[in-house]
Amino acid sequence: MTDGTPATQEALRGAGSDLAAVTRLITRLERAGSLTRTIRFGLSGNVTLDLLGTFLRKQAVLHGQRAIVRVGAFDDHVGGVRRLAGEQVDVLIILDLFDALIPAFEARVEILDSDVVRDRLDRYRAEIALTLAEATSIKHVFVGLLHPLAAPTPDEPGDEIARTIAAFNGVLVEEASQHPNVGVFDTAAICARTGWAAAHDLRSYRRFRAPFGSPLLDALAEHLFRRTRGFETYFYKALVLDGDGTLWGGSIGEDLLSGIQLEPHGTPGSIYWEVQQQILALHQRGVLLALCSRNNERDVNEVLENHPDEVLRDEHFAVKRIDWNDKTTSLRSIADTLGIGLDALVFVDDSRFEIEAVRSQLPMVRTFQVPSDLSMYPRLVSEIREIFAVESVSKESPDKTEQYRIRGLAKAERGRHESQESFLASLGIRLTIERDQPASARRIAELTQKSNQFNLTTRRRTETEILGLMRAPGSEVYSLRVEDRFGDSGLTGVAILTYEDASTAHVDTFLLSCRVLGRGAELACWPMMIELVRDRGCRTLVAEYVPTAKNKQASEFWEQVGFSLESEDVDGRRAYRLHLHPPPVARPPSYVEVIGAF
Amino acid sequence: MLSEDILRDVMAAMLDIDPLSIGPGTSPDTVPEWDSVRHMNLIIAIEQTFGITVPDEDVAEMTSYLIIKAVIEEQLAGA
């Protein structure tokens, strides 16, 4: 049965919103037993939402997960959500139909006394505020904007229905913005995508109070999984681009600089030029770019340096592999150089052969082929933009390329020094430690979400959870910034300490972004932090190493700091202890200057 | 012409039961899984699969294999 899983998944993907086929295939995949994780969803609405559960289960099994779906109380958000929070759902989806806020609201919106509408609006604000207050313990909350049952009429922009919906949505957005765990989705935009005619099932609305059609619910579930990177099952970090036929038309080796197609006012040159603009926008949002081309390096570099219409220049690429190696070799080498996993790569190529070769040998790399109808190419890049979920990247991310380039320069510098020690000493490394800074919570949460390799416990946290830990008296959140003479790497390390009792402190989380590893910061921070823990009167510091598929390199770390191993269980999970009295002997690397900014 | 195999497959999928267990007498009395949510999904799936519109008055009545089959056949004949 497990052998059939990819084929069944493929069939499920192709089944669209055909309810019988989708249900049958979901059940088969759920029973196949290869699902690794369970996500608990709660649904709350003023209409029947049960069918959304089917499409959440569909997306879940496509991501190798099992969804358990609970439905709240009918038309009672506050009570329903309280119960769902009690059942510890991971995700809450709130979706109301505007037309049902007052029976036949759309038909009556012009007839009703304006006081009645205003009263309903006030009650709506109160309901939403109370509901979201009940939901603060739920990790992800998504609320749908209200929308009409049919497409807005083109000849009356801002008609009464549209105006009233806008007023309610204004209230909704205002309330939602007060909660960092709440995200809003634009239901009307999803209707527009699936087609307004298919978005609602008026018969089912009348019969079952279930107005949302399968295509709309299918698209909504897909949207939510995309936006949350499959609820943290994947995290793409780099976009790897082929050259010929992908960034420009034609072949640089044969058509030469004047022959390739990239001119903004011609066809198909304008398509490649537009696609390059889209990719540049992705780069500015923090996506790393890599160039992977089977060509003579000199030819491709000439395009990057001298083609008048080339948008993407040498400085936009964090890494380039221009040689005659096969693409799988190059992709491995790109991942290695960037210090990220192959499963963080998205690869675009125009050649069916290259795409298939990568798919069969490196199935963890997400691949996209340039469409043979080139006019569809910009739309494909828009899809790629969605899977990077770039909206949630924090402000610190955009200059990542610069940091990875710095890392590359530092690697080159290393070659000139005889010993690692003297190289590091020449870098002028400075480590700044900060504590409980709410302004950094977003970046800290992001690091807990995506750091895999040097992460001792791999506990994923949201911004809300980080803020909670900062505020709580029994915990502290430290952030680490590393800079050296090549540049500032920004906030790249996190330590979370919790105080279990008056005498014991516990290292809940310790992680460092892999791009600053190997410069001693991971060791240099501890003497100062141990001192802070001693100042609180603690006698013992405990820590653990929780093994994952990716963090092997951190397995011996606590010994290096001076901890002693207490126990190791069958899963390889290790518990450590460090006695603080008398003070442990610190052996921090001499070449790191540590600054406590408290 | 109604394919009974397809009908059995749709009912089996939507009620989460074995298609071979479905016979003339299959009804909410014999299938504990057949609750109101499953009934709703079953009607929607039947309409999608057979491309028909189930008349409003029949929705609540379609509570056995034989009645479901009769309603679909009537709609297919009328189309």
Side-chain angles (χ1 to χ4, degrees), chain B residues 8-69:
Chain B
R8 264 195 293 270
D9 279 349
V10 171
M11 287 182 67
M14 303 317 293
L15 300 173
D16 197 12
I17 54 175
D18 182 355
L20 298 175
S21 74
I22 297 174
T26 300
S27 78
D29 294 333
T30 63
V31 179
E33 292 87 347
W34 197 332
D35 60 12
S36 62
V37 170
R38 287 229 163 84
H39 188 68
M40 171 180 85
N41 288 343
L42 174 63
I43 301 292
I44 295 170
I46 284 172
E47 292 195 335
Q48 276 185 2
T49 304
F50 296 100
I52 58 165
T53 301
V54 173
D56 281 344
E57 60 271 23
D58 291 337
V59 170
E61 308 295 323
M62 291 167 73
T63 50
S64 81
Y65 177 80
L66 279 182
I67 301 172
I68 290 173
K69 179 168 166 269

Side-chain angles (χ1 to χ4, degrees), chain A residues 406 410 427-430 482-489 519:
Chain A
I406 290 167
L427 286 178
I429 304 167
R430 287 209 306 184
V482 182
E483 57 191 311
D484 59 34
R485 67 184 172 89
F486 289 110
D488 182 356
S489 296
R519 298 189 219 170

Side-chain angles (χ1 to χ4, degrees), chain A residues 171-235:
Chain A
V171 163
L172 175 59
V173 168
E174 210 179 302
E175 292 299 330
S177 68
Q178 319 217 353
H179 300 271
N181 63 331
V182 177
V184 171
F185 59 88
D186 186 346
T187 324
I190 301 172
C191 294
R193 242 180 219 197
T194 59
W196 281 90
H200 296 96
D201 181 340
L202 298 178
R203 205 155 57 231
S204 165
Y205 181 26
R206 199 170 60 233
R207 285 175 186 168
F208 308 117
R209 289 190 67 77
F212 304 122
S214 308
L216 171 59
L217 298 174
D218 189 26
L220 171 57
E222 190 181 347
H223 165 75
L224 294 177
F225 271 79
R226 248 186 210 172
R227 159 171 187 171
T228 55
R229 306 180 185 95
F231 293 96
E232 285 106 35
T233 46
Y234 63 86
F235 199 131

Side-chain angles (χ1 to χ4, degrees), chain A residues 179-369:
Chain A
H179 300 271
N181 63 331
V182 177
V184 171
F185 59 88
D186 186 346
T187 324
I190 301 172
C191 294
R193 242 180 219 197
T194 59
W196 281 90
H200 296 96
D201 181 340
L202 298 178
R203 205 155 57 231
S204 165
Y205 181 26
R206 199 170 60 233
R207 285 175 186 168
F208 308 117
R209 289 190 67 77
F212 304 122
S214 308
L216 171 59
L217 298 174
D218 189 26
L220 171 57
E222 190 181 347
H223 165 75
L224 294 177
F225 271 79
R226 248 186 210 172
R227 159 171 187 171
T228 55
R229 306 180 185 95
F231 293 96
E232 285 106 35
T233 46
Y234 63 86
F235 199 131
Y236 298 115
K237 296 173 185 169
L239 178 60
V240 185
L241 299 149
D242 169 47
D244 289 341
T246 300
L247 288 178
W248 52 80
S251 153
I252 181 63
E254 289 163 21
D255 303 325
L256 308 181
L257 198 59
S258 58
I260 60 169
Q261 294 151 339
L262 196 54
E263 65 286 5
H265 302 292
T267 308
S270 62
I271 295 174
Y272 291 104
W273 182 79
E274 183 185 340
V275 161
Q276 287 210 16
Q277 302 282 356
Q278 289 177 293
I279 295 169
L280 179 63
L282 275 173
H283 165 263
Q284 291 192 341
R285 299 301 300 255
V287 173
L288 292 168
L289 302 182
L291 184 56
C292 177
S293 168
R294 281 160 57 83
N295 254 315
N296 290 318
E297 190 169 7
R298 213 183 41 209
D299 294 346
V300 173
N301 281 336
E302 201 185 349
V303 180
L304 298 184
E305 281 159 28
N306 297 326
H307 197 288
D309 299 318
E310 175 75 15
V311 178
L312 298 169
R313 299 291 179 178
D314 188 64
E315 72 260 26
H316 300 121
F317 293 101
V319 51
K320 297 184 294 177
R321 286 292 173 274
I322 308 164
D323 49 36
W324 297 97
N325 285 330
D326 59 62
K327 299 262 163 130
T328 54
T329 306
S330 295
L331 286 168
R332 280 185 217 275
S333 147
I334 286 168
D336 186 48
T337 304
L338 294 176
I340 60 181
L342 281 160
D343 58 1
L345 298 185
V346 175
F347 175 57
V348 185
D349 202 307
D350 61 310
S351 150
R352 179 90 208 150
F353 168 81
E354 302 285 11
I355 293 284
E356 283 306 327
V358 171
R359 270 187 198 163
S360 63
Q361 294 169 65
L362 303 174
M364 64 296 259
V365 175
R366 183 75 184 263
T367 56
F368 289 90
Q369 190 185 355

Side-chain angles (χ1 to χ4, degrees), chain A residues 150-157 159:
Chain A
T153 50
D155 56 349
E156 287 181 48
D159 65 15

